[in-house]
Amino acid sequence: MGFWWRPLSVLAGVLLVALILWAGSGWVAALGFLAGVQAFVMLRRLWQEFRLARWLENPDEVEPPDATGTWGDIFYRLQKLQRRQKASRGQLTSALEQFEHAAMAVPDGMVILNRSEQIEWCNPASRTYMGLDCERDRGQFIRYLLRQAQFLDFLDAADYSRRLVCKSPVNRELILSLQLVPFGESQKLLVARDITDLERVDAMRRDFIANVSHELRTPLTVVGGFVETLADAPDLPAAESRHYFDLMLDHTRRMQHLLDDLLTLSRLESADHTLKDELVNVPELAQALKAEAESLSRGRHRVSLQCQSEACLKGSLQEIRSALGNLVSNAVRYTPEGGEITLAWRERNGEGVFSVIDTGEGIAAEHIPRLTERFYRVDRSRSRETGGTGLGLAIVKHVLTRHGARLEIQSVPGKGSTFSAVFPAQRLQLPGAEKSGTVIPFPEREQAVG
């Protein structure tokens, strides 16, 4: 009713004037008046329709029409509707921009495909993983750009619960996990995730299990064989029985050493194993390590010490001694009889450097980057003969990493090797700045770690 009262009141007024003219001047004057009013209304309507059409064609550039009466109400309602649409459009634009920004920041590669498997959009990460560019490849068929047979089979299967693990087509060192997700109306979202680290960890786990199984199998086989021999031949001579018992004891100790090293690594890698902050008197520790090297060598090598610094270290005495003791015991183990072993402690460019220098067989350059890997050995048979577990340098690496230090290895085949534990300047402390730490005797077990 609110809309009709105004036009009906105007119509009633026009009819009243027409009746008055009819009564006073005749029907001709009344009809002329009505015709004039009709012409005025039509012209006004055409003018307002023209203004409305011009405004609707360019609502952002043309000012909204201003009128009175019924047209004023129409324009007012249209302006309200336009403002609501602008606000809604602004919200949608803002939401779309946020979505695009979020999709751009996602570390996973994301590609939107239409029902024909053409690329509609992709984020920057898809360039790194799949070599796709949103501007260049929009509208291209994904099959023409990624032609790996396993990927094409993956698309044909359209199994949204399945993941495809494959190498990146642009970087063969990356391993990707691809998944298709239904998206929108007949669209698909292709997600590519970098799982290189996960695959590497899984491979390390498999290798670790295989290596531990291999390392334990030999001593268990030997011990089991000797036990069967002793059980089948209880009357063996005492000397022969003693020989068997000694061999079983050696292999049992080897298994014990291996388990101890595994437990040490597990403890070092545990997040709950906090680093102690003690003062380690390195010159005293170096003297103790020299004595232990001479004890392990039993006169087969010439062992010397070069202590050029009196600086101490802040850190865990037990861990530092274990790491440096491993370097010393490895030098004794792999240096031929008559060789020289030198222990050195010095400062270099503000850093503390503890070096173990030997005149052993040396190590080829291709083996050096992998020496700190678990169970990695340059010569497996020789390592087993010397009693090594293949975990010593892995322990050294973990200990040094926990102290912000690093292991430097220099070696020349046929001339010898230098293993240096380099500690950062913030770990060094001059004696007297704090009460000197006490060197704890090196456990018998850790002397054999290697």
Side-chain angles (χ1 to χ4, degrees):
M1 187 62 185
F3 173 80
W4 291 103
W5 73 269
R6 183 176 294 171
L8 290 178
S9 62
V10 172
L11 179 60
V14 170
L15 291 177
L16 179 59
V17 172
L19 289 174
I20 294 173
L21 288 175
W22 192 349
S25 303
W27 63 272
V28 176
L31 289 177
F33 171 74
L34 291 175
V37 171
Q38 180 66 22
F40 173 77
V41 170
M42 292 182 64
L43 289 175
R44 185 172 182 268
R45 177 178 177 180
L46 289 174
W47 170 244
Q48 299 295 6
E49 288 178 352
F50 168 75
R51 296 173 68 193
L52 176 61
R54 186 178 61 175
W55 176 49
L56 293 178
E57 287 179 359
N58 301 289
D60 296 328
E61 299 178 3
V62 179
E63 291 292 329
D66 186 17
T68 58
T70 303
W71 281 102
D73 290 341
I74 293 174
F75 291 151
Y76 173 72
R77 294 171 188 268
L78 288 175
Q79 289 179 41
K80 286 182 62 177
L81 179 61
Q82 183 192 41
R83 285 194 292 268
R84 284 200 296 267
Q85 288 179 340
K86 284 184 177 180
S88 177
R89 184 171 58 187
Q91 293 176 355
L92 291 175
T93 301
S94 177
L96 180 60
E97 290 178 351
Q98 291 180 0
F99 170 77
E100 289 184 350
H101 289 320
M104 292 289 185
V106 169
D108 298 337
M110 302 175 64
V111 183
I112 296 179
L113 306 174
N114 61 19
R115 66 177 61 195
S116 300
E117 296 181 347
Q118 293 172 291
I119 298 174
E120 293 187 347
W121 176 88
C122 57
N123 68 345
S126 61
R127 174 192 287 270
T128 304
Y129 297 152
M130 295 176 284
L132 302 178
D133 183 87
C134 189
E135 297 299 328
R136 181 194 64 200
D137 299 326
R138 181 173 291 159
Q140 296 292 325
F141 291 94
I142 190 71
R143 292 175 177 269
Y144 296 164
L145 302 178
L146 303 178
R147 301 184 179 183
Q148 294 176 329
Q150 54 183 342
F151 176 73
L152 298 179
D153 294 339
F154 175 67
L155 284 180
D156 293 334
D159 185 356
Y160 299 122
S161 62
R162 173 190 168 196
R163 295 177 184 267
L164 172 65
V165 176
C166 62
K167 292 185 177 181
S168 168
V170 293
N171 186 350
R172 305 300 292 177
E173 294 182 358
L174 293 180
I175 301 177
L176 304 178
S177 172
L178 303 181
Q179 184 175 16
L180 281 174
V181 180
F183 181 77
E185 296 181 2
S186 302
Q187 293 176 306
K188 300 174 184 177
L189 178 64
L190 176 64
V191 181
R193 177 168 298 171
D194 181 9
I195 59 170
T196 306
D197 291 339
L198 294 176
E199 287 293 311
R200 185 178 294 115
V201 169
D202 189 55
M204 290 175 60
R205 178 188 59 81
R206 293 194 298 268
D207 291 343
F208 176 77
I209 294 174
N211 282 321
V212 170
S213 301
H214 181 74
E215 293 295 330
L216 290 176
R217 183 181 295 112
T218 300
L220 285 174
T221 301
V222 172
V223 172
F226 285 148
V227 170
E228 290 178 358
T229 300
L230 293 173
D232 295 338
D235 299 329
L236 283 175
E240 190 173 351
S241 299
R242 182 62 186 176
H243 174 67
Y244 288 163
F245 281 121
D246 289 342
L247 289 176
M248 286 191 290
L249 181 60
D250 289 341
H251 284 279
T252 303
R253 285 176 176 171
R254 178 181 165 190
M255 287 188 288
Q256 184 63 46
H257 295 171
L258 176 61
L259 295 176
D260 288 344
D261 283 351
L262 290 174
L263 291 175
T264 299
L265 278 175
S266 177
R267 184 175 67 253
L268 292 173
E269 294 175 345
S270 173
D272 298 331
H273 186 59
T274 57
L275 183 64
K276 295 181 180 179
D277 192 12
E278 305 170 287
L279 187 64
V280 181
N281 191 320
V282 181
E284 292 183 10
L285 176 59
Q287 289 286 351
L289 292 174
K290 177 178 178 293
E292 290 164 1
E294 292 173 339
S295 175
L296 287 172
S297 174
R298 298 178 183 177
R300 293 181 294 111
H301 310 91
R302 294 186 298 276
V303 182
S304 61
L305 173 63
Q306 298 176 1
C307 199
Q308 303 172 5
S309 173
E310 296 182 355
C312 301
L313 285 174
K314 291 183 292 183
S316 171
L317 175 59
Q318 182 179 4
E319 292 184 15
I320 292 176
R321 183 157 192 176
S322 175
L324 302 185
N326 270 291
L327 297 180
V328 172
S329 61
N330 281 348
V332 174
R333 183 177 296 114
Y334 296 112
T335 301
E337 186 174 352
E340 297 183 6
I341 299 173
T342 303
L343 281 61
W345 170 242
R346 67 187 189 279
E347 294 181 49
R348 184 187 67 190
N349 299 327
E351 298 178 315
V353 182
F354 186 92
S355 301
V356 179
I357 308 160
D358 65 61
T359 58
E361 298 179 358
I363 304 168
E366 63 268 19
H367 295 293
I368 291 178
R370 301 190 59 188
L371 288 179
T372 56
E373 294 181 11
R374 300 179 183 186
F375 298 109
Y376 184 82
R377 295 187 177 96
V378 177
D379 187 343
R380 285 185 174 271
S381 60
R382 187 165 181 267
S383 178
R384 291 196 181 94
E385 290 173 1
T386 57
T389 64
L391 297 173
L393 290 180
I395 293 175
V396 172
K397 178 183 177 181
H398 277 79
V399 170
L400 296 183
T401 300
R402 282 168 55 82
H403 287 79
R406 66 184 185 276
L407 178 65
E408 295 181 353
I409 305 174
Q410 298 175 341
S411 186
V412 178
K415 294 185 178 181
S417 306
T418 300
F419 288 77
S420 299
V422 183
F423 294 89
Q426 57 267 30
R427 288 282 174 187
L428 297 184
Q429 185 168 317
L430 293 176
E434 186 177 332
K435 185 179 179 181
S436 177
T438 302
V439 178
I440 300 175
F442 204 48
E444 179 183 351
R445 160 64 201 98
E446 294 184 341
Q447 294 179 13
V449 175

